Amino acid sequence: MAKKVSDFLVETVGEAVAEVLLSLLACALLGSLVLIAHLSWSFSPRVTLAGAGLLSLALAHGAWITFRAPGKGRGRRGLAAVTPFGFL
């Protein structure tokens, strides 16, 4: 019985620590994206909007390719092979 309780506690604490680390990593990533957007906007708003538009198009193309059934006998080549990875 003590072994089961000990295993449960170790697993619970491990999951809590992993969740905290992942949350901190997500916050750091979000903060760095906000900083990049701020610096880019202060450098050139037009280039920032153009880059955001291109990134949106690439993500939309990745989503479209991911959820679309490929044609028979045709593999994905070029851009169609790369953009789904950005979407995932």
Side-chain angles (χ1 to χ4, degrees):
M1 182 72 173
K3 175 74 172 154
K4 288 183 181 181
V5 171
S6 148
D7 289 343
F8 173 76
L9 287 176
V10 167
E11 184 178 340
T12 304
V13 170
E15 286 180 8
V17 168
E19 188 168 336
V20 167
L21 288 175
L22 287 175
S23 296
L24 289 174
L25 181 64
C27 288
L29 179 63
L30 180 63
S32 65
L33 289 174
V34 168
L35 179 64
I36 288 169
H38 173 71
L39 293 174
S40 177
W41 186 265
S42 66
F43 176 69
S44 175
R46 289 182 184 174
V47 173
T48 302
L49 290 176
L54 286 174
L55 180 64
S56 297
L57 283 174
L59 289 174
H61 185 261
W64 182 59
I65 292 296
T66 299
F67 295 117
R68 184 178 141 233
K72 287 189 174 189
R74 296 182 58 127
R76 294 182 176 152
R77 297 183 190 134
L79 188 63
V82 175
T83 55
F85 290 109
F87 174 68
L88 296 176

